[in-house]
Amino acid sequence: MKQSKFFIPTLRETPKDAQIASHRILLKGGYIKQVAAGIYDYLPLAYKIIKKIENIVREEINKTEAVEVLMPALQPKDLWVESGRWEKYGKELMRLEDRNERSFCLGPTHEEVITAMVRDYVNSYKKLSIGLYQIQTKFRDEFRPRFGLMRGREFLMFDLYTFHKDEEDLDVWYKKVREAYKRILERLSLDYRIIGAGSGNIGGNASEEFMVLCDIGEDTIVYSDSSSFALNQEICDLKEGDPSPDGKGVIKYAKGIEVGHIFKLGTTYSELMKATFIDQDQQTKPIVMGCYGIGISRLLMAILEQHSTDEKPIWPKEVTPFDLHIIPLGDNLEQGLKVYEKLSKEYDCLIDDRDERAGVKFQDADLIGVRYRIVVGRKASEGIYEFQDLLKGEKKELKLAEIEKELKK
Ligand code: ATP
Ligand code: MG
């Protein structure tokens, strides 16, 4: 990809209203643009990374045998009246009317729509269990939209719903999803903790949150320094230094960003919305449900919070927008393009073909955060380039064949 065509509108000034590093990088680096409070454009650089995150989620979730669907963002009021949430959800629900004065909302989540879908087709234990998921835009009129994509009013979410004949069957799928979430966060190179949590507006009886550890996190994680015991501070009354309730170690606090949530919903929605099936014993029973979410757009910022220093990102391998950043300086563009053509056969390369000074090119490259960089500079005529590994902080003068060897390592 040629940088002159990729539309990365970087800014020279650091945006003053952005309070956290990841938000500043996204604005300054030309990743996102604010359209209104809590509403953003995803520019090509961010969108390319977002698609990589989405695909990692798809790959790992598909292994649980869940299937991808796409439901409407626009949802009729009737379904929300059935579940009781038209009243209960409050001001966070974006409500609107059509030309015939029928009420709708813009979906903040999809329990109602999916329960209505499944109840119309699934009536026997023989058709259970099933898992359906989507990756889609969600709408929540947050009281305090802030930190860019971290708490948006329109954001990208992965949501999965599973349907079962009994609790045991739900447990099996719940565990599979829990493992899939771990693999996803590991592939995204995130340092995280799984914590017991309250279940907020969604209801139900058991839930866990996946928290990415990070100082700017809005949640406080209460954990034991010597076991996997961890809870959201919202639901417990433990102080730092207290003995851990599981008898192992003492309590510590850490800040975290919630990137994922898994719930055992049970029969809350199926009872309210009459989603039933006939079991093997001929009894009519409510379908047992699980629901699971991941904040796709929030993850973009969580990755940045953990993978940037001094406001310079280095994207982890699996989500890097490009494998290689080729930077020709001075009058070396033609030589740079040769390197680009050669390496593009094997790698996804970005070449800075713009007519800009070295300083500008490097400043922008620092914001784009591709780990491996090839500077085509002074010694280009001798076939020698500067190969940089940002993560190791190394710079080496190498020939192209040697660079290819380095990349293979
Ligand atoms: P929070 O406590 O942060 O408001 P939540 O409990 O309301 O989150 P869920 O309803 O469980 O969130 O939604 C699933 C996931 O969607 C969350 O784990 C989070 O990663 C993401 N998410 C929720 N609200 C937002 C938002 N306003 N902007 C971006 N991502 C969000
Ligand atoms: Mg919320």
Side-chain angles (χ1 to χ4, degrees):
M1 190 72 218
K2 289 181 179 159
Q3 210 165 319
S4 63
K5 296 283 178 293
F6 199 61
F7 192 57
I8 311 174
T10 52
L11 309 175
R12 291 279 80 87
E13 301 291 315
T14 303
K16 284 185 197 63
D17 47 337
Q19 296 158 10
I20 59 172
S22 54
H23 191 194
R24 285 192 291 269
I25 294 168
L26 289 181
L27 291 170
K28 208 176 166 201
Y31 292 82
I32 61 169
K33 180 181 186 296
Q34 183 171 332
V35 176
I39 302 174
Y40 291 86
D41 289 317
Y42 299 89
L43 304 178
L45 199 51
Y47 197 45
K48 193 165 180 198
I49 300 167
I50 289 276
K51 282 186 280 189
K52 290 194 172 189
I53 299 173
E54 289 180 354
N55 281 333
I56 290 172
V57 171
R58 285 194 179 94
E59 278 172 26
E60 298 304 335
I61 293 296
N62 288 345
K63 290 178 191 162
T64 73
E65 296 188 293
V67 184
E68 189 166 4
V69 293
L70 184 60
M71 290 178 269
L74 198 54
Q75 309 183 5
K77 174 183 175 182
D78 317 4
L79 292 177
W80 286 73
V81 170
E82 276 189 60
S83 72
R85 286 207 294 185
W86 185 258
E87 293 300 327
K88 222 159 81 197
Y89 215 95
K91 287 198 169 168
E92 224 173 85
L93 192 62
M94 292 268 196
R95 299 159 207 255
L96 64 161
E97 284 185 352
D98 71 6
R99 65 173 74 206
N100 299 313
E101 290 168 18
R102 274 189 297 252
S103 296
F104 289 81
C105 67
L106 291 172
T109 174
H110 277 70
E111 284 79 9
E112 283 77 4
V113 176
I114 197 131
T115 305
M117 181 204 297
V118 169
R119 77 176 165 198
D120 287 351
Y121 298 121
V122 175
N123 44 27
S124 157
Y125 72 94
K126 290 178 195 162
K127 293 181 183 169
L128 296 169
S129 54
I130 47 170
L132 300 167
Y133 75 90
Q134 62 178 349
I135 294 178
Q136 192 215 32
T137 301
K138 297 282 191 272
F139 300 86
R140 293 183 186 182
D141 197 358
E142 297 277 357
F143 173 64
R144 205 166 156 218
R146 62 176 194 149
F147 293 169
L149 306 179
M150 207 70 100
R151 184 167 297 288
R153 294 197 296 164
E154 174 176 326
F155 59 97
L156 290 167
M157 187 162 126
F158 153 87
D159 48 331
L160 161 68
Y161 307 87
T162 60
F163 300 85
H164 312 271
K165 59 182 167 50
D166 53 34
E167 293 282 342
E168 282 101 81
D169 197 56
L170 166 61
D171 283 349
V172 173
W173 209 316
Y174 183 92
K175 288 205 185 94
K176 283 197 288 183
V177 177
R178 200 173 187 273
E179 291 306 309
Y181 272 43
K182 287 192 200 167
R183 294 194 300 270
I184 291 164
L185 297 186
E186 265 143 41
R187 286 180 66 180
L188 296 176
S189 304
L190 287 167
D191 189 11
Y192 68 96
R193 277 216 169 218
I194 305 174
I195 68 170
S199 35
N201 235 334
I202 307 217
N205 43 31
S207 88
E208 288 171 295
E209 291 171 341
F210 286 68
M211 292 281 182
V212 167
L213 301 179
C214 170
D215 290 341
I216 58 90
E218 291 184 329
D219 290 275
T220 301
I221 305 165
V222 175
Y223 68 99
S224 156
D225 65 355
S226 38
S227 74
S228 67
F229 175 86
L231 288 174
N232 195 321
Q233 194 194 19
E234 280 171 9
I235 61 161
C236 71
D237 188 24
L238 293 162
K239 300 267 163 315
E240 266 185 299
D242 283 356
S244 176
D246 67 351
K248 294 176 200 147
V250 293
I251 290 299
K252 287 250 162 76
Y253 280 10
K255 288 285 176 192
I257 307 166
E258 181 197 320
V259 295
H261 208 159
I262 54 181
F263 297 92
K264 288 181 190 172
L265 274 179
T267 54
T268 317
Y269 288 89
S270 48
E271 280 178 44
L272 287 164
M273 298 184 68
K274 304 188 177 55
T276 58
F277 71 102
I278 299 174
D279 207 352
Q280 217 154 357
D281 56 13
Q282 302 304 319
Q283 300 288 313
T284 299
K285 298 175 183 170
I287 300 175
V288 177
M289 289 172 59
C291 78
Y292 319 79
I294 294 177
I296 300 285
S297 42
R298 184 179 283 186
L299 270 175
L300 184 74
M301 292 192 90
I303 296 169
L304 271 181
E305 284 295 327
Q306 285 195 352
H307 293 275
S308 58
T309 28
D310 300 332
E311 318 254 316
K312 292 177 190 166
I314 302 175
W315 291 101
K317 183 165 182 274
E318 292 240 32
V319 292
T320 185
F322 296 94
D323 301 325
L324 279 171
H325 198 169
I326 300 164
I327 306 177
L329 300 179
D331 49 15
N332 289 308
L333 178 58
E334 216 168 297
Q335 186 65 19
L337 283 166
K338 279 186 196 150
V339 173
Y340 169 75
E341 258 149 50
K342 179 118 205 297
L343 292 175
S344 289
K345 293 196 180 99
E346 217 169 322
Y347 301 98
D348 186 10
C349 301
L350 177 69
I351 181 166
D352 195 344
D353 61 332
R354 300 171 305 162
D355 182 14
E356 294 286 357
R357 284 179 295 112
V360 172
K361 289 191 175 186
F362 285 125
Q363 225 174 323
D364 286 351
D366 283 347
L367 289 163
I368 296 168
V370 176
R371 176 175 171 180
Y372 299 107
R373 207 179 270 180
I374 298 169
V375 180
V376 183
R378 258 178 303 123
K379 296 190 180 166
S381 57
E382 303 161 45
I384 295 172
Y385 313 101
E386 188 176 271
F387 179 71
Q388 304 184 354
D389 178 341
L390 299 193
L391 200 60
K392 290 191 184 156
E394 280 176 3
K395 294 181 183 180
K396 292 182 189 165
E397 295 201 326
L398 299 174
K399 298 209 154 132
L400 197 53
E402 294 167 323
I403 291 177
E404 290 187 275
K405 247 191 227 156
E406 283 285 319
L407 290 168
K408 287 262 152 44
K409 275 189 202 165

